[in-house]
Amino acid sequence: MKILVIGGGGREHALVWKLAQSAKADQIYCAPGNAGTAEIATNVPLSDNDIPALLKFASDNSIGLTVVGPEIPLVDGIVDVFKASGLRIFGPDARASILEGSKVFTKELLAKYQIPTADYHRFDDAEAARKFLSTNTTYPIVIKADGLAAGKGVLIITTPEAAEIGIKEIMEDRVFGDAGSEIIIEEFLSGPELSMLCFVDSHTVVPMVSAKDYKRIGEGETGLNTGGMGAISPNPLYDQELEDHCLTMIIEPSLAGMRQEGRPFKGILYCGIMLTESGPKVLEYNVRFGDPETQVILPRLETDLVDIFEAIIDDRLAEVAVKWDEQTAATIVLASGGYPESYPKGLAISGLEQVSGSTVFHAGTKIANNSIVTSGGRVLTVTSMGATVEAALQLSYANAEKIEFEGKTIRTDIGS
Ligand code: AMP
Ligand code: GLY
């Protein structure tokens, strides 16, 4: 079978790497891919948002399975468009992808079906939001743009002045475009975070092994939010009791609610959860694999990923025994200097050939003049497996040190 993976980050390199292990995968294409996917697949120079061009490529090349990495094409309805042309594609349709596409929709769903989440108010008018905040006396408080904002649409607000700036930038200056035509103002929650990812078809939910993502740029979870600077799997706080609790109290009622609303979900459901003193609460839903969580989850998957994706498309997930490696996985992100703000691109990367015992997943890299250069904020992720998290981390850090590019930035406290 010919397989097309859409996207070009570390998550997509990990997806291509895992799919390539399947005996069913004859040829894999990645659009647009990166320098890492180019080593094991054929990169196709198409944007991951260009649905008509991707559809034409898949039809012209008899692609038997398309796998979508990022959220934007899912929210824009790529699954609906491919299915309408008779092409097999893995992921939720546009009606179900609203779980990530609209935070207002998701908060209303969670409230309607009594699923634990932060208390909130929604506003489509900046003046009404200001009026509400003028009576607010407790900080921090959280402001979220309704729509997709590349992970930047969540503001933790600690002063009335910052709240005013946030409302002005999101709702009036529209720094996130139409994603800011409505906002949520919600209660600040505290506690450790958990990423819970599940395989979902119309009848069955299979939770994956757990992961913990390290989101801030600075040591000790300080500084700006990033896409994620490292991850470990399993999450040390996770056990069977917590999994059962999250499935019964959060995941299953959310999926039942989606069916009730005429928006049945299938694909990858990613729930961001905060373990608060009053129990686990939903922070957000994503409708895709996480990045860098995928780089620690897929290396632990023993089952053929093509079989799992095909079973989900055909609603046969219950028939597949999904098996995991007991070892721990850890990944360290090598980011560009300046990330998550502005950073240079096109810098030479050296030392990749010296890595041993770890798998390097490329994120923001490309090939220029026959050599590998930086092309994004998160450049590479170095994943290792180990009997303990310490062993996996030690190997990843040792290999991360062998790789060089100007401004290379890593967090030295992943796993803590
Ligand atoms: P989200 O994109 O909604 O997951 O938000 C990104 C990050 O913001 C989360 O991983 C949390 O660290 C933080 N966050 C989101 N909502 C809240 C909240 N209500 N209270 C505290 N932190 C939050
Ligand atoms: N690592 C967070 C995300 O993929 O949304």
Side-chain angles (χ1 to χ4, degrees):
M1 180 197 293
K2 290 190 192 174
I3 300 174
L4 169 64
V5 174
I6 295 176
R11 166 183 53 207
E12 287 76 20
H13 188 186
L15 279 165
V16 168
W17 171 86
K18 185 67 199 172
L19 292 167
Q21 293 168 16
S22 170
K24 301 198 176 74
D26 293 326
Q27 194 169 2
I28 304 186
Y29 297 90
C30 191
N34 57 39
T37 62
E39 287 169 11
I40 47 176
T42 304
N43 283 351
V44 183
L46 295 175
S47 157
D48 51 19
N49 300 333
D50 190 348
I51 297 176
L54 293 165
L55 176 70
K56 183 169 187 319
F57 176 84
S59 309
D60 290 352
N61 291 279
S62 315
I63 300 295
L65 171 66
T66 297
V67 177
V68 189
E71 62 276 12
I72 294 177
L74 291 168
V75 171
D76 286 348
I78 191 167
V79 170
D80 310 67
V81 170
F82 271 53
K83 275 189 174 164
S85 292
L87 289 165
R88 279 169 77 75
I89 182 163
F90 175 78
D93 63 14
R95 285 182 61 74
S97 298
I98 193 171
L99 262 185
E100 180 162 0
S102 169
K103 291 192 191 287
V104 169
F105 170 87
T106 297
K107 293 299 285 193
E108 306 264 279
L109 180 94
L110 296 172
K112 181 169 173 184
Y113 294 94
Q114 292 161 26
I115 297 159
T117 189
D119 288 337
Y120 73 100
H121 297 268
R122 59 184 282 192
F123 299 95
D124 59 10
D125 173 64
E127 277 318 309
R130 286 192 177 98
K131 189 154 172 245
F132 170 79
L133 281 171
S134 70
T135 62
N136 174 62
T137 49
T138 32
Y139 288 93
I141 199 161
V142 184
I143 300 183
K144 299 185 174 183
D146 173 49
L148 295 181
K152 295 184 182 141
V154 175
L155 307 178
I156 312 285
I157 299 290
T158 52
T159 64
E161 295 73 31
E164 170 50 30
I165 294 169
I167 288 176
K168 181 173 178 301
E169 287 186 350
I170 297 177
M171 301 193 83
E172 292 174 345
D173 303 344
R174 294 290 174 98
V175 291
F176 306 122
D178 286 346
S181 54
E182 204 167 347
I183 60 166
I184 295 287
I185 299 183
E186 75 177 24
E187 173 198 8
F188 177 79
L189 302 176
S190 57
E193 285 184 45
L194 169 73
S195 308
M196 188 172 176
L197 283 78
C198 302
F199 295 113
V200 178
D201 76 2
S202 302
H203 320 292
T204 309
V205 182
V206 177
M208 301 185 206
V209 287
S210 63
K212 179 170 165 59
D213 176 20
Y214 293 78
K215 281 215 171 74
R216 306 287 191 98
I217 186 70
E219 310 280 322
E221 283 295 294
T222 54
L224 293 172
N225 249 324
T226 71
M229 290 297 291
I232 56 171
S233 173
N235 186 315
L237 296 169
Y238 198 73
D239 58 18
Q240 192 60 50
E241 195 186 338
L242 181 57
E243 177 174 298
D244 293 344
H245 178 94
C246 292
L247 274 177
T248 341
M249 303 302 289
I250 293 176
I251 306 289
E252 283 163 0
S254 297
L255 290 167
M258 289 296 280
R259 283 193 292 273
Q260 195 78 33
E261 300 299 313
R263 297 174 180 275
F265 185 95
K266 61 197 238 165
I268 303 297
L269 186 66
Y270 168 142
C271 188
I273 294 172
M274 198 168 266
L275 304 173
T276 74
E277 276 179 358
S278 50
K281 294 189 178 176
V282 177
L283 290 174
E284 62 163 348
Y285 272 119
N286 295 321
V287 299
R288 47 157 179 89
F289 277 104
D291 189 341
E293 289 93 331
T294 308
Q295 292 93 305
V296 288
I297 290 176
L298 290 186
R300 297 186 59 203
L301 179 64
E302 291 176 345
T303 312
D304 186 326
L305 189 56
V306 175
D307 285 346
I308 298 177
F309 287 165
E310 293 237 283
I312 291 174
I313 292 174
D314 298 331
D315 284 329
R316 301 183 278 101
L317 180 58
E319 294 168 19
V320 180
V322 179
K323 296 219 169 71
W324 302 96
D325 189 328
E326 288 297 316
Q327 290 186 91
T328 295
T331 202
I332 309 298
V333 172
L334 281 60
S336 295
Y339 175 76
E341 296 181 284
S342 61
Y343 50 82
K345 290 186 187 176
L347 303 173
I349 302 172
S350 63
L352 284 167
E353 67 294 339
Q354 289 174 42
V355 170
S356 81
S358 299
T359 306
V360 179
F361 294 116
H362 289 228
T365 68
K366 66 173 190 184
I367 298 169
N369 301 322
N370 289 321
S371 56
I372 298 177
V373 300
T374 67
S375 71
R378 291 187 292 175
V379 178
L380 299 159
T381 64
V382 180
T383 297
S384 310
M385 307 281 285
T388 62
V389 69
E390 290 77 18
L393 284 164
Q394 201 179 12
L395 193 52
S396 278
Y397 276 121
N399 279 313
E401 262 180 35
K402 297 178 189 163
I403 304 170
E404 286 304 334
F405 53 88
E406 202 187 313
K408 180 182 87 174
T409 303
I410 61 176
R411 260 181 71 171
T412 61
D413 66 341
I414 302 304
S416 64

